[in-house]
Amino acid sequence: MALKNTRQRAAILEILRNRREPASAEEIHEELSRMGNAPALSTVYRNLERFVRDGLAVTELLGDSVTRYAVPREQHGHYLICTGCSTKLHIRDCPLSELEEKLARDTGFAIESHTLTLYGKCPRCRKREQKSASGQEGQKK
């Protein structure tokens, strides 16, 4: 069954295409509200799930249990995420391309996509922790 193009669907796809990072259904709904074109949140979810089924969007989980949506791009979803302040940094170059090709050859799998998320502390949070630790050391003396 072909996907009927509606203004709401077109607006949701446009939001996904213009974003640099994947967006949750709630974030997309908020953006539609700001544009004055907000359907019910359940409608946003239904459209996003339909986009995923039809290959117009992909889902990404970034470790916080929130499903986010993005348009499929040649680049995969690779992120560094700070466990202190939740800053997300997109990794542009794919460090897994060669491994993916080898696995496809060795296993016969037609690999469609992959994600990579690394967790740690950003420089700002590391510095804050170091200051906090050195302040505690000074108090013990």
PDB file of all heavy atoms in Angstrom, residues 65-103:
ATOM      1  N   SER A  65      17.228   5.179  26.503  1.00  0.00           N
ATOM      2  CA  SER A  65      15.957   4.483  26.306  1.00  0.00           C
ATOM      3  C   SER A  65      14.928   5.300  25.530  1.00  0.00           C
ATOM      4  O   SER A  65      13.755   4.962  25.541  1.00  0.00           O
ATOM      5  CB  SER A  65      15.351   4.040  27.643  1.00  0.00           C
ATOM      6  OG  SER A  65      16.239   3.175  28.295  1.00  0.00           O
ATOM      7  N   VAL A  66      15.351   6.374  24.872  1.00  0.00           N
ATOM      8  CA  VAL A  66      14.446   7.177  24.058  1.00  0.00           C
ATOM      9  C   VAL A  66      14.685   6.809  22.599  1.00  0.00           C
ATOM     10  O   VAL A  66      15.807   6.869  22.115  1.00  0.00           O
ATOM     11  CB  VAL A  66      14.687   8.690  24.263  1.00  0.00           C
ATOM     12  CG1 VAL A  66      13.828   9.509  23.321  1.00  0.00           C
ATOM     13  CG2 VAL A  66      14.416   9.076  25.706  1.00  0.00           C
ATOM     14  N   THR A  67      13.625   6.406  21.913  1.00  0.00           N
ATOM     15  CA  THR A  67      13.751   6.101  20.484  1.00  0.00           C
ATOM     16  C   THR A  67      13.786   7.409  19.718  1.00  0.00           C
ATOM     17  O   THR A  67      12.928   8.269  19.899  1.00  0.00           O
ATOM     18  CB  THR A  67      12.575   5.240  20.002  1.00  0.00           C
ATOM     19  OG1 THR A  67      12.559   4.033  20.754  1.00  0.00           O
ATOM     20  CG2 THR A  67      12.690   4.926  18.518  1.00  0.00           C
ATOM     21  N   ARG A  68      14.800   7.553  18.890  1.00  0.00           N
ATOM     22  CA  ARG A  68      14.930   8.740  18.047  1.00  0.00           C
ATOM     23  C   ARG A  68      14.877   8.305  16.591  1.00  0.00           C
ATOM     24  O   ARG A  68      15.218   7.178  16.272  1.00  0.00           O
ATOM     25  CB  ARG A  68      16.229   9.469  18.362  1.00  0.00           C
ATOM     26  CG  ARG A  68      16.191  10.137  19.729  1.00  0.00           C
ATOM     27  CD  ARG A  68      17.505  10.846  20.051  1.00  0.00           C
ATOM     28  NE  ARG A  68      17.424  11.572  21.293  1.00  0.00           N
ATOM     29  CZ  ARG A  68      17.520  11.020  22.498  1.00  0.00           C
ATOM     30  NH1 ARG A  68      17.680   9.726  22.616  1.00  0.00           N
ATOM     31  NH2 ARG A  68      17.446  11.758  23.583  1.00  0.00           N
ATOM     32  N   TYR A  69      14.480   9.221  15.749  1.00  0.00           N
ATOM     33  CA  TYR A  69      14.281   8.934  14.334  1.00  0.00           C
ATOM     34  C   TYR A  69      15.158   9.840  13.493  1.00  0.00           C
ATOM     35  O   TYR A  69      15.409  10.991  13.853  1.00  0.00           O
ATOM     36  CB  TYR A  69      12.800   9.138  13.965  1.00  0.00           C
ATOM     37  CG  TYR A  69      11.870   8.267  14.769  1.00  0.00           C
ATOM     38  CD1 TYR A  69      11.429   8.665  16.029  1.00  0.00           C
ATOM     39  CD2 TYR A  69      11.459   7.032  14.293  1.00  0.00           C
ATOM     40  CE1 TYR A  69      10.595   7.860  16.784  1.00  0.00           C
ATOM     41  CE2 TYR A  69      10.618   6.221  15.041  1.00  0.00           C
ATOM     42  CZ  TYR A  69      10.190   6.638  16.283  1.00  0.00           C
ATOM     43  OH  TYR A  69       9.372   5.829  17.022  1.00  0.00           O
ATOM     44  N   ALA A  70      15.607   9.304  12.371  1.00  0.00           N
ATOM     45  CA  ALA A  70      16.424  10.079  11.437  1.00  0.00           C
ATOM     46  C   ALA A  70      16.171   9.542  10.039  1.00  0.00           C
ATOM     47  O   ALA A  70      15.723   8.407   9.866  1.00  0.00           O
ATOM     48  CB  ALA A  70      17.909   9.952  11.787  1.00  0.00           C
ATOM     49  N   VAL A  71      16.453  10.366   9.052  1.00  0.00           N
ATOM     50  CA  VAL A  71      16.387   9.868   7.680  1.00  0.00           C
ATOM     51  C   VAL A  71      17.648   9.048   7.442  1.00  0.00           C
ATOM     52  O   VAL A  71      18.723   9.377   7.972  1.00  0.00           O
ATOM     53  CB  VAL A  71      16.257  11.000   6.636  1.00  0.00           C
ATOM     54  CG1 VAL A  71      14.915  11.682   6.746  1.00  0.00           C
ATOM     55  CG2 VAL A  71      17.377  11.998   6.754  1.00  0.00           C
ATOM     56  N   PRO A  72      17.547   7.973   6.676  1.00  0.00           N
ATOM     57  CA  PRO A  72      18.744   7.174   6.419  1.00  0.00           C
ATOM     58  C   PRO A  72      19.759   7.995   5.629  1.00  0.00           C
ATOM     59  O   PRO A  72      19.410   8.679   4.678  1.00  0.00           O
ATOM     60  CB  PRO A  72      18.236   5.998   5.591  1.00  0.00           C
ATOM     61  CG  PRO A  72      16.758   6.073   5.592  1.00  0.00           C
ATOM     62  CD  PRO A  72      16.365   7.441   6.042  1.00  0.00           C
ATOM     63  N   ARG A  73      20.982   7.944   6.066  1.00  0.00           N
ATOM     64  CA  ARG A  73      22.061   8.638   5.372  1.00  0.00           C
ATOM     65  C   ARG A  73      23.168   7.637   5.141  1.00  0.00           C
ATOM     66  O   ARG A  73      23.212   6.588   5.762  1.00  0.00           O
ATOM     67  CB  ARG A  73      22.589   9.802   6.217  1.00  0.00           C
ATOM     68  CG  ARG A  73      21.577  10.908   6.399  1.00  0.00           C
ATOM     69  CD  ARG A  73      22.198  12.082   7.149  1.00  0.00           C
ATOM     70  NE  ARG A  73      21.328  13.234   7.120  1.00  0.00           N
ATOM     71  CZ  ARG A  73      20.442  13.528   8.053  1.00  0.00           C
ATOM     72  NH1 ARG A  73      20.293  12.742   9.067  1.00  0.00           N
ATOM     73  NH2 ARG A  73      19.694  14.598   7.951  1.00  0.00           N
ATOM     74  N   GLU A  74      24.077   8.004   4.286  1.00  0.00           N
ATOM     75  CA  GLU A  74      25.209   7.113   4.051  1.00  0.00           C
ATOM     76  C   GLU A  74      26.017   6.933   5.325  1.00  0.00           C
ATOM     77  O   GLU A  74      26.531   5.880   5.593  1.00  0.00           O
ATOM     78  CB  GLU A  74      26.088   7.656   2.934  1.00  0.00           C
ATOM     79  CG  GLU A  74      25.409   7.531   1.595  1.00  0.00           C
ATOM     80  CD  GLU A  74      26.402   7.409   0.484  1.00  0.00           C
ATOM     81  OE1 GLU A  74      27.579   7.128   0.737  1.00  0.00           O
ATOM     82  OE2 GLU A  74      25.981   7.596  -0.648  1.00  0.00           O
ATOM     83  N   GLN A  75      26.140   8.012   6.121  1.00  0.00           N
ATOM     84  CA  GLN A  75      26.884   7.883   7.362  1.00  0.00           C
ATOM     85  C   GLN A  75      26.019   7.184   8.394  1.00  0.00           C
ATOM     86  O   GLN A  75      24.818   7.318   8.417  1.00  0.00           O
ATOM     87  CB  GLN A  75      27.327   9.238   7.877  1.00  0.00           C
ATOM     88  CG  GLN A  75      26.163  10.120   8.296  1.00  0.00           C
ATOM     89  CD  GLN A  75      26.558  11.556   8.374  1.00  0.00           C
ATOM     90  OE1 GLN A  75      27.389  11.998   7.628  1.00  0.00           O
ATOM     91  NE2 GLN A  75      25.969  12.282   9.288  1.00  0.00           N
ATOM     92  N   HIS A  76      26.644   6.417   9.223  1.00  0.00           N
ATOM     93  CA  HIS A  76      25.931   5.697  10.273  1.00  0.00           C
ATOM     94  C   HIS A  76      25.866   6.566  11.518  1.00  0.00           C
ATOM     95  O   HIS A  76      26.551   7.563  11.636  1.00  0.00           O
ATOM     96  CB  HIS A  76      26.655   4.383  10.573  1.00  0.00           C
ATOM     97  CG  HIS A  76      26.720   3.474   9.396  1.00  0.00           C
ATOM     98  ND1 HIS A  76      25.639   2.753   8.963  1.00  0.00           N
ATOM     99  CD2 HIS A  76      27.714   3.186   8.542  1.00  0.00           C
ATOM    100  CE1 HIS A  76      25.982   2.046   7.908  1.00  0.00           C
ATOM    101  NE2 HIS A  76      27.242   2.302   7.637  1.00  0.00           N
ATOM    102  N   GLY A  77      25.028   6.150  12.456  1.00  0.00           N
ATOM    103  CA  GLY A  77      24.903   6.879  13.705  1.00  0.00           C
ATOM    104  C   GLY A  77      26.006   6.493  14.665  1.00  0.00           C
ATOM    105  O   GLY A  77      25.974   5.426  15.241  1.00  0.00           O
ATOM    106  N   HIS A  78      26.997   7.342  14.786  1.00  0.00           N
ATOM    107  CA  HIS A  78      28.103   7.111  15.709  1.00  0.00           C
ATOM    108  C   HIS A  78      28.196   8.318  16.634  1.00  0.00           C
ATOM    109  O   HIS A  78      28.267   9.447  16.152  1.00  0.00           O
ATOM    110  CB  HIS A  78      29.423   6.955  14.950  1.00  0.00           C
ATOM    111  CG  HIS A  78      29.416   5.805  14.004  1.00  0.00           C
ATOM    112  ND1 HIS A  78      29.379   5.989  12.647  1.00  0.00           N
ATOM    113  CD2 HIS A  78      29.435   4.477  14.213  1.00  0.00           C
ATOM    114  CE1 HIS A  78      29.383   4.805  12.063  1.00  0.00           C
ATOM    115  NE2 HIS A  78      29.408   3.879  12.989  1.00  0.00           N
ATOM    116  N   TYR A  79      28.224   8.054  17.948  1.00  0.00           N
ATOM    117  CA  TYR A  79      28.198   9.151  18.902  1.00  0.00           C
ATOM    118  C   TYR A  79      29.116   8.891  20.082  1.00  0.00           C
ATOM    119  O   TYR A  79      29.312   7.748  20.503  1.00  0.00           O
ATOM    120  CB  TYR A  79      26.775   9.357  19.456  1.00  0.00           C
ATOM    121  CG  TYR A  79      25.793   9.720  18.390  1.00  0.00           C
ATOM    122  CD1 TYR A  79      25.055   8.743  17.738  1.00  0.00           C
ATOM    123  CD2 TYR A  79      25.614  11.044  18.014  1.00  0.00           C
ATOM    124  CE1 TYR A  79      24.160   9.082  16.738  1.00  0.00           C
ATOM    125  CE2 TYR A  79      24.715  11.389  17.023  1.00  0.00           C
ATOM    126  CZ  TYR A  79      24.003  10.403  16.383  1.00  0.00           C
ATOM    127  OH  TYR A  79      23.129  10.730  15.394  1.00  0.00           O
ATOM    128  N   LEU A  80      29.636   9.970  20.628  1.00  0.00           N
ATOM    129  CA  LEU A  80      30.249   9.989  21.950  1.00  0.00           C
ATOM    130  C   LEU A  80      29.236  10.694  22.840  1.00  0.00           C
ATOM    131  O   LEU A  80      28.754  11.770  22.490  1.00  0.00           O
ATOM    132  CB  LEU A  80      31.552  10.800  21.941  1.00  0.00           C
ATOM    133  CG  LEU A  80      32.721  10.230  21.152  1.00  0.00           C
ATOM    134  CD1 LEU A  80      33.832  11.271  21.056  1.00  0.00           C
ATOM    135  CD2 LEU A  80      33.224   8.966  21.817  1.00  0.00           C
ATOM    136  N   ILE A  81      28.895  10.092  23.965  1.00  0.00           N
ATOM    137  CA  ILE A  81      27.901  10.681  24.855  1.00  0.00           C
ATOM    138  C   ILE A  81      28.512  10.819  26.239  1.00  0.00           C
ATOM    139  O   ILE A  81      29.032   9.849  26.800  1.00  0.00           O
ATOM    140  CB  ILE A  81      26.613   9.839  24.915  1.00  0.00           C
ATOM    141  CG1 ILE A  81      25.994   9.753  23.520  1.00  0.00           C
ATOM    142  CG2 ILE A  81      25.632  10.423  25.929  1.00  0.00           C
ATOM    143  CD1 ILE A  81      24.739   8.934  23.446  1.00  0.00           C
ATOM    144  N   CYS A  82      28.446  12.025  26.779  1.00  0.00           N
ATOM    145  CA  CYS A  82      28.976  12.296  28.113  1.00  0.00           C
ATOM    146  C   CYS A  82      27.992  11.779  29.160  1.00  0.00           C
ATOM    147  O   CYS A  82      26.808  12.135  29.128  1.00  0.00           O
ATOM    148  CB  CYS A  82      29.242  13.785  28.307  1.00  0.00           C
ATOM    149  SG  CYS A  82      29.885  14.165  29.954  1.00  0.00           S
ATOM    150  N   THR A  83      28.504  10.967  30.073  1.00  0.00           N
ATOM    151  CA  THR A  83      27.659  10.435  31.139  1.00  0.00           C
ATOM    152  C   THR A  83      27.452  11.449  32.254  1.00  0.00           C
ATOM    153  O   THR A  83      26.644  11.230  33.146  1.00  0.00           O
ATOM    154  CB  THR A  83      28.265   9.136  31.730  1.00  0.00           C
ATOM    155  OG1 THR A  83      29.598   9.409  32.180  1.00  0.00           O
ATOM    156  CG2 THR A  83      28.284   8.030  30.696  1.00  0.00           C
ATOM    157  N   GLY A  84      28.180  12.570  32.179  1.00  0.00           N
ATOM    158  CA  GLY A  84      28.006  13.625  33.180  1.00  0.00           C
ATOM    159  C   GLY A  84      26.932  14.620  32.796  1.00  0.00           C
ATOM    160  O   GLY A  84      26.008  14.888  33.555  1.00  0.00           O
ATOM    161  N   CYS A  85      27.037  15.176  31.568  1.00  0.00           N
ATOM    162  CA  CYS A  85      26.125  16.255  31.167  1.00  0.00           C
ATOM    163  C   CYS A  85      25.251  15.889  29.965  1.00  0.00           C
ATOM    164  O   CYS A  85      24.495  16.711  29.474  1.00  0.00           O
ATOM    165  CB  CYS A  85      26.928  17.519  30.850  1.00  0.00           C
ATOM    166  SG  CYS A  85      28.018  17.355  29.415  1.00  0.00           S
ATOM    167  N   SER A  86      25.377  14.673  29.451  1.00  0.00           N
ATOM    168  CA  SER A  86      24.591  14.156  28.314  1.00  0.00           C
ATOM    169  C   SER A  86      24.906  14.823  26.983  1.00  0.00           C
ATOM    170  O   SER A  86      24.137  14.700  26.029  1.00  0.00           O
ATOM    171  CB  SER A  86      23.086  14.247  28.595  1.00  0.00           C
ATOM    172  OG  SER A  86      22.765  13.480  29.725  1.00  0.00           O
ATOM    173  N   THR A  87      26.025  15.539  26.894  1.00  0.00           N
ATOM    174  CA  THR A  87      26.439  16.110  25.612  1.00  0.00           C
ATOM    175  C   THR A  87      26.623  14.978  24.616  1.00  0.00           C
ATOM    176  O   THR A  87      27.193  13.934  24.949  1.00  0.00           O
ATOM    177  CB  THR A  87      27.766  16.887  25.773  1.00  0.00           C
ATOM    178  OG1 THR A  87      27.523  18.009  26.612  1.00  0.00           O
ATOM    179  CG2 THR A  87      28.307  17.362  24.433  1.00  0.00           C
ATOM    180  N   LYS A  88      26.130  15.177  23.390  1.00  0.00           N
ATOM    181  CA  LYS A  88      26.281  14.183  22.325  1.00  0.00           C
ATOM    182  C   LYS A  88      27.179  14.762  21.244  1.00  0.00           C
ATOM    183  O   LYS A  88      26.950  15.855  20.762  1.00  0.00           O
ATOM    184  CB  LYS A  88      24.926  13.828  21.732  1.00  0.00           C
ATOM    185  CG  LYS A  88      24.010  13.127  22.689  1.00  0.00           C
ATOM    186  CD  LYS A  88      22.654  12.889  22.050  1.00  0.00           C
ATOM    187  CE  LYS A  88      21.665  12.414  23.060  1.00  0.00           C
ATOM    188  NZ  LYS A  88      21.154  13.451  23.920  1.00  0.00           N
ATOM    189  N   LEU A  89      28.194  14.009  20.862  1.00  0.00           N
ATOM    190  CA  LEU A  89      29.110  14.428  19.809  1.00  0.00           C
ATOM    191  C   LEU A  89      29.046  13.395  18.704  1.00  0.00           C
ATOM    192  O   LEU A  89      29.289  12.208  18.940  1.00  0.00           O
ATOM    193  CB  LEU A  89      30.532  14.547  20.370  1.00  0.00           C
ATOM    194  CG  LEU A  89      31.614  14.971  19.401  1.00  0.00           C
ATOM    195  CD1 LEU A  89      31.362  16.403  18.911  1.00  0.00           C
ATOM    196  CD2 LEU A  89      32.969  14.886  20.083  1.00  0.00           C
ATOM    197  N   HIS A  90      28.669  13.828  17.511  1.00  0.00           N
ATOM    198  CA  HIS A  90      28.571  12.926  16.370  1.00  0.00           C
ATOM    199  C   HIS A  90      29.965  12.626  15.839  1.00  0.00           C
ATOM    200  O   HIS A  90      30.773  13.527  15.639  1.00  0.00           O
ATOM    201  CB  HIS A  90      27.715  13.569  15.266  1.00  0.00           C
ATOM    202  CG  HIS A  90      27.461  12.658  14.122  1.00  0.00           C
ATOM    203  ND1 HIS A  90      28.125  12.774  12.934  1.00  0.00           N
ATOM    204  CD2 HIS A  90      26.633  11.598  13.992  1.00  0.00           C
ATOM    205  CE1 HIS A  90      27.710  11.827  12.114  1.00  0.00           C
ATOM    206  NE2 HIS A  90      26.800  11.114  12.741  1.00  0.00           N
ATOM    207  N   ILE A  91      30.271  11.343  15.619  1.00  0.00           N
ATOM    208  CA  ILE A  91      31.545  10.925  15.029  1.00  0.00           C
ATOM    209  C   ILE A  91      31.329  10.835  13.528  1.00  0.00           C
ATOM    210  O   ILE A  91      30.510  10.038  13.059  1.00  0.00           O
ATOM    211  CB  ILE A  91      31.990   9.556  15.582  1.00  0.00           C
ATOM    212  CG1 ILE A  91      32.096   9.605  17.099  1.00  0.00           C
ATOM    213  CG2 ILE A  91      33.306   9.124  14.945  1.00  0.00           C
ATOM    214  CD1 ILE A  91      32.282   8.241  17.743  1.00  0.00           C
ATOM    215  N   ARG A  92      32.033  11.654  12.775  1.00  0.00           N
ATOM    216  CA  ARG A  92      31.803  11.737  11.330  1.00  0.00           C
ATOM    217  C   ARG A  92      32.354  10.532  10.559  1.00  0.00           C
ATOM    218  O   ARG A  92      31.694   9.999   9.695  1.00  0.00           O
ATOM    219  CB  ARG A  92      32.416  13.015  10.788  1.00  0.00           C
ATOM    220  CG  ARG A  92      31.822  14.238  11.459  1.00  0.00           C
ATOM    221  CD  ARG A  92      31.631  15.384  10.493  1.00  0.00           C
ATOM    222  NE  ARG A  92      31.119  16.541  11.187  1.00  0.00           N
ATOM    223  CZ  ARG A  92      29.852  16.743  11.488  1.00  0.00           C
ATOM    224  NH1 ARG A  92      28.951  15.859  11.178  1.00  0.00           N
ATOM    225  NH2 ARG A  92      29.461  17.833  12.119  1.00  0.00           N
ATOM    226  N   ASP A  93      33.563  10.122  10.841  1.00  0.00           N
ATOM    227  CA  ASP A  93      34.158   9.006  10.107  1.00  0.00           C
ATOM    228  C   ASP A  93      33.744   7.693  10.751  1.00  0.00           C
ATOM    229  O   ASP A  93      33.729   7.566  11.972  1.00  0.00           O
ATOM    230  CB  ASP A  93      35.687   9.123  10.097  1.00  0.00           C
ATOM    231  CG  ASP A  93      36.162  10.359   9.358  1.00  0.00           C
ATOM    232  OD1 ASP A  93      35.539  10.708   8.331  1.00  0.00           O
ATOM    233  OD2 ASP A  93      37.133  10.981   9.812  1.00  0.00           O
ATOM    234  N   CYS A  94      33.442   6.721   9.927  1.00  0.00           N
ATOM    235  CA  CYS A  94      32.989   5.433  10.429  1.00  0.00           C
ATOM    236  C   CYS A  94      34.188   4.532  10.739  1.00  0.00           C
ATOM    237  O   CYS A  94      34.873   4.085   9.820  1.00  0.00           O
ATOM    238  CB  CYS A  94      32.084   4.745   9.418  1.00  0.00           C
ATOM    239  SG  CYS A  94      31.554   3.110   9.976  1.00  0.00           S
ATOM    240  N   PRO A  95      34.412   4.234  12.011  1.00  0.00           N
ATOM    241  CA  PRO A  95      35.527   3.359  12.347  1.00  0.00           C
ATOM    242  C   PRO A  95      35.205   1.874  12.131  1.00  0.00           C
ATOM    243  O   PRO A  95      36.081   1.033  12.295  1.00  0.00           O
ATOM    244  CB  PRO A  95      35.750   3.645  13.840  1.00  0.00           C
ATOM    245  CG  PRO A  95      34.414   4.064  14.342  1.00  0.00           C
ATOM    246  CD  PRO A  95      33.763   4.781  13.188  1.00  0.00           C
ATOM    247  N   LEU A  96      33.982   1.564  11.743  1.00  0.00           N
ATOM    248  CA  LEU A  96      33.560   0.169  11.611  1.00  0.00           C
ATOM    249  C   LEU A  96      33.393  -0.299  10.166  1.00  0.00           C
ATOM    250  O   LEU A  96      33.025  -1.443   9.936  1.00  0.00           O
ATOM    251  CB  LEU A  96      32.248  -0.045  12.359  1.00  0.00           C
ATOM    252  CG  LEU A  96      32.271   0.229  13.858  1.00  0.00           C
ATOM    253  CD1 LEU A  96      30.891   0.032  14.454  1.00  0.00           C
ATOM    254  CD2 LEU A  96      33.289  -0.655  14.545  1.00  0.00           C
ATOM    255  N   SER A  97      33.650   0.558   9.191  1.00  0.00           N
ATOM    256  CA  SER A  97      33.393   0.206   7.788  1.00  0.00           C
ATOM    257  C   SER A  97      34.124  -1.058   7.352  1.00  0.00           C
ATOM    258  O   SER A  97      33.527  -1.954   6.751  1.00  0.00           O
ATOM    259  CB  SER A  97      33.773   1.361   6.865  1.00  0.00           C
ATOM    260  OG  SER A  97      32.935   2.456   7.112  1.00  0.00           O
ATOM    261  N   GLU A  98      35.410  -1.132   7.665  1.00  0.00           N
ATOM    262  CA  GLU A  98      36.179  -2.318   7.254  1.00  0.00           C
ATOM    263  C   GLU A  98      35.669  -3.572   7.961  1.00  0.00           C
ATOM    264  O   GLU A  98      35.553  -4.628   7.342  1.00  0.00           O
ATOM    265  CB  GLU A  98      37.663  -2.108   7.539  1.00  0.00           C
ATOM    266  CG  GLU A  98      38.304  -1.101   6.607  1.00  0.00           C
ATOM    267  CD  GLU A  98      39.781  -0.904   6.919  1.00  0.00           C
ATOM    268  OE1 GLU A  98      40.414  -1.831   7.460  1.00  0.00           O
ATOM    269  OE2 GLU A  98      40.286   0.185   6.608  1.00  0.00           O
ATOM    270  N   LEU A  99      35.376  -3.458   9.253  1.00  0.00           N
ATOM    271  CA  LEU A  99      34.849  -4.597   9.998  1.00  0.00           C
ATOM    272  C   LEU A  99      33.507  -5.035   9.419  1.00  0.00           C
ATOM    273  O   LEU A  99      33.248  -6.229   9.254  1.00  0.00           O
ATOM    274  CB  LEU A  99      34.692  -4.242  11.476  1.00  0.00           C
ATOM    275  CG  LEU A  99      34.062  -5.318  12.358  1.00  0.00           C
ATOM    276  CD1 LEU A  99      34.904  -6.587  12.367  1.00  0.00           C
ATOM    277  CD2 LEU A  99      33.861  -4.788  13.773  1.00  0.00           C
ATOM    278  N   GLU A 100      32.651  -4.079   9.084  1.00  0.00           N
ATOM    279  CA  GLU A 100      31.347  -4.399   8.509  1.00  0.00           C
ATOM    280  C   GLU A 100      31.514  -5.168   7.198  1.00  0.00           C
ATOM    281  O   GLU A 100      30.843  -6.172   6.960  1.00  0.00           O
ATOM    282  CB  GLU A 100      30.555  -3.109   8.280  1.00  0.00           C
ATOM    283  CG  GLU A 100      29.144  -3.353   7.798  1.00  0.00           C
ATOM    284  CD  GLU A 100      28.367  -2.065   7.653  1.00  0.00           C
ATOM    285  OE1 GLU A 100      28.195  -1.353   8.654  1.00  0.00           O
ATOM    286  OE2 GLU A 100      27.937  -1.787   6.527  1.00  0.00           O
ATOM    287  N   GLU A 101      32.417  -4.696   6.326  1.00  0.00           N
ATOM    288  CA  GLU A 101      32.659  -5.375   5.047  1.00  0.00           C
ATOM    289  C   GLU A 101      33.188  -6.791   5.263  1.00  0.00           C
ATOM    290  O   GLU A 101      32.765  -7.737   4.601  1.00  0.00           O
ATOM    291  CB  GLU A 101      33.639  -4.560   4.208  1.00  0.00           C
ATOM    292  CG  GLU A 101      33.047  -3.260   3.701  1.00  0.00           C
ATOM    293  CD  GLU A 101      34.092  -2.346   3.071  1.00  0.00           C
ATOM    294  OE1 GLU A 101      35.221  -2.822   2.772  1.00  0.00           O
ATOM    295  OE2 GLU A 101      33.779  -1.162   2.881  1.00  0.00           O
ATOM    296  N   LYS A 102      34.121  -6.960   6.214  1.00  0.00           N
ATOM    297  CA  LYS A 102      34.682  -8.281   6.500  1.00  0.00           C
ATOM    298  C   LYS A 102      33.599  -9.218   7.029  1.00  0.00           C
ATOM    299  O   LYS A 102      33.497 -10.369   6.597  1.00  0.00           O
ATOM    300  CB  LYS A 102      35.827  -8.169   7.500  1.00  0.00           C
ATOM    301  CG  LYS A 102      36.484  -9.504   7.834  1.00  0.00           C
ATOM    302  CD  LYS A 102      37.552  -9.352   8.883  1.00  0.00           C
ATOM    303  CE  LYS A 102      38.254 -10.645   9.234  1.00  0.00           C
ATOM    304  NZ  LYS A 102      37.516 -11.862   9.230  1.00  0.00           N
ATOM    305  N   LEU A 103      32.787  -8.717   7.965  1.00  0.00           N
ATOM    306  CA  LEU A 103      31.710  -9.548   8.503  1.00  0.00           C
ATOM    307  C   LEU A 103      30.726  -9.956   7.409  1.00  0.00           C
ATOM    308  O   LEU A 103      30.257 -11.102   7.381  1.00  0.00           O
ATOM    309  CB  LEU A 103      30.973  -8.809   9.623  1.00  0.00           C
ATOM    310  CG  LEU A 103      31.713  -8.716  10.953  1.00  0.00           C
ATOM    311  CD1 LEU A 103      30.991  -7.756  11.896  1.00  0.00           C
ATOM    312  CD2 LEU A 103      31.848 -10.092  11.590  1.00  0.00           C
TER     313      LEU A 103
END
